[in-house]
């Protein structure tokens, strides 16, 4: 094998440089999104934190700057539950092109009562899925202006055991919080894969990749005060779980690789190496139900609202 064709193993601690690139991370002020942003900032890229709470985003920004000297990090107000606001959010980015967006933000509810967005959508489906669907539409001109942009959709291992009810996407008939969350993430993953098929059909230079973080617990996540503080008690209680799962810093690795690794291709699924729950990121075989393209197409059709008119999204 010639040295020109050699690709070194991916090292989560030694990321390639991305100077001059601009990345948007939704929900970048906390959890996995924070660590995605922190790790991407270490590459020299400009990273924009999309957050519905600007005050929390500024705290996250200060934390990143304290750990990454010279970090190029910005904040944009982003409320995925407010669909009409997303066009204004994208316009406020004030950039000529966008090299990647990580669709990470999400809402997970435990309360038994079903809640809706102001637009009348079930809150988790409306935020986690529809919000990112609409955001992708408004971002597409900026993504298309980049040489080879990527849309990285953060799914969830919770979606592996769920199946969509196409006739009740909004969970109006039978609402169960954990199931509704899992289905909203499954819808996101279907979206990411179907999006890449449509991008390829449109000969787009943009690629869509789906990732998931495996099992990511706060108790195994290193402290980033005041964004996240891990107590000694939490560290002790979480130690046994480290055999099977990991912290949110490691849960960020598949998304970071999907943004940066030139060998990653659109339409792929990436997750942790060990039982899809922990470890370094690797490509996974698509889950059986994610290969059901007819379900993805049926999911897409009801979503073609007036705010979705880009050929790749409405074709």
């Amino acid at each position: 094998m010639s040295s020109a064709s050699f690709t070194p193993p991916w090292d989560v601690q030694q990321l390639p440089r991305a100077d001059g690139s601009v990345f948007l991370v939704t929900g970048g002020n906390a959890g996995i999104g924070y660590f995605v942003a922190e790790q991407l900032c270490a590459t020299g890229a400009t990273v924009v934190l999309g957050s519905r709470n600007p005050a929390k985003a500024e705290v996250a920004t200060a934390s990143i700057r304290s750990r990454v000297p010279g970090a190029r990090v910005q904040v944009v107000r982003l409320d995925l539950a407010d669909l009409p606001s997303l066009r204004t959010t994208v316009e406020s980015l004030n950039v000529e092109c966008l090299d990647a967006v990580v669709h990470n933000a999400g809402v997970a509810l435990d309360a038994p009562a079903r809640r809706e967005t102001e637009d009348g959508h079930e809150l988790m489906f409306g935020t986690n899925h529809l919000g990112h669907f609409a955001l992708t539409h408004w971002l597409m001109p900026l993504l298309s202006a980049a040489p080879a942009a990527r849309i990285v959709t953060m799914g969830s291992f919770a979606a592996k055991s769920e199946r969509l009810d196409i006739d009740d996407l909004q969970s109006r008939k039978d609402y169960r919080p954990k199931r509704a969350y899992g289905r909203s993430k499954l819808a996101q993953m279907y979206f990411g894969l179907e999006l890449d098929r449509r991008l390829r059909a449109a000969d787009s230079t943009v690629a869509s990749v789906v990732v998931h973080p495996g099992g990511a617990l706060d108790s195994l996540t290193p402290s980033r005060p005041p964004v996240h503080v891990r107590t000694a008690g939490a560290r002790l209680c979480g130690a046994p779980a480290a055999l099977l799962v990991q912290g949110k810093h490691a849960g960020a690795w598949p998304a970071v690789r999907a943004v940066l690794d030139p060998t990653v291709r659109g339409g792929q699924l990436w997750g942790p190496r060990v039982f899809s729950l922990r470890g370094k990121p690797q490509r996974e075989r698509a889950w059986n139900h994610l290969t059901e393209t007819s379900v993805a197409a049926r999911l897409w059709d009801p979503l073609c609202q007036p705010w979705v008119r880009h050929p790749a999204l409405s074709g």
Side-chain angles (χ1 to χ4, degrees):
M1 180 182 294
S2 68
S3 59
S5 63
F6 174 71
T7 301
W10 186 259
D11 187 344
V12 297
Q13 305 299 334
Q14 295 290 331
L15 299 176
R17 298 295 298 179
D19 301 89
S21 297
V22 180
F23 306 136
L24 169 64
V25 181
T26 72
N29 63 282
I32 292 172
Y34 168 85
F35 286 97
V36 170
E38 181 184 281
Q39 291 167 29
L40 289 177
C41 276
T43 69
T46 296
V47 179
V48 183
L49 309 185
S51 173
R52 66 172 179 261
N53 189 321
K56 290 183 178 180
E58 291 296 344
V59 170
T61 296
S63 177
I64 291 173
R65 286 176 174 155
S66 72
R67 301 189 64 84
V68 183
R72 297 176 175 87
V73 56
Q74 303 172 8
V75 173
V76 64
R77 188 182 184 283
L78 172 67
D79 186 353
L80 293 165
D82 183 2
L83 299 183
S85 73
L86 297 179
R87 180 177 185 176
T88 301
T89 294
V90 171
E91 290 172 348
S92 71
L93 290 174
N94 195 29
V95 296
E96 294 183 357
C97 66
L98 187 66
D99 295 281
V101 56
V102 179
H103 289 327
N104 162 82
V107 174
L109 301 178
D110 294 323
R114 181 179 179 276
R115 295 172 56 188
E116 292 187 347
T117 68
E118 291 187 6
D119 302 306
H121 301 293
E122 188 276 316
L123 185 59
M124 288 183 281
F125 185 80
T127 302
N128 302 352
H129 178 51
L130 290 180
H132 283 119
F133 189 100
L135 179 64
T136 300
H137 163 66
W138 295 117
L139 287 175
M140 194 58 70
L142 294 178
L143 292 163
S144 298
R150 294 184 180 180
I151 300 166
V152 178
T153 297
M154 181 71 75
S156 170
F157 198 72
K160 192 168 188 177
S161 59
E162 293 295 342
R163 300 295 183 273
L164 291 180
D165 182 349
I166 295 294
D167 297 322
D168 190 26
L169 293 174
Q170 302 279 357
S171 300
R172 299 183 189 279
K173 300 175 183 177
D174 183 13
Y175 176 75
R176 305 176 197 175
K178 289 185 178 180
R179 186 179 70 177
Y181 171 76
R183 288 182 173 181
S184 74
K185 299 302 288 185
L186 178 57
Q188 274 191 276
M189 297 175 82
Y190 271 120
F191 163 72
L193 296 175
E194 178 68 12
L195 173 60
D196 194 73
R197 285 188 283 269
R198 295 180 182 232
L199 289 169
R200 300 288 69 75
D203 293 323
S204 175
T205 58
V206 183
S208 176
V209 184
V210 176
V211 302
H212 73 88
L217 303 182
D218 281 334
S219 60
L220 298 175
T221 302
S223 290
R224 293 292 189 272
V227 176
H228 167 70
V229 178
R230 181 174 62 160
T231 65
R235 186 182 301 109
L236 183 62
C237 292
L243 295 173
L244 294 174
V245 294
Q246 58 194 357
K248 293 185 176 180
H249 64 301
W253 291 343
V256 171
R257 182 166 189 175
V259 169
L260 297 173
D261 188 348
T263 69
V264 172
R265 296 289 180 264
Q268 295 179 346
L269 172 65
W270 287 74
R273 182 175 61 86
V274 183
F275 304 119
S276 293
L277 289 173
R278 64 182 300 273
K280 295 180 179 179
Q282 71 171 13
R283 183 183 175 186
E284 290 188 21
R285 179 179 177 181
W287 305 338
N288 287 339
H289 54 306
L290 285 177
T291 64
E292 298 171 351
T293 56
S294 60
V295 174
R298 288 189 63 198
L299 173 68
W300 198 281
D301 292 340
L303 305 183
C304 289
Q305 304 297 330
W307 36 263
V308 180
R309 285 293 178 262
H310 188 278
L313 298 182
S314 58

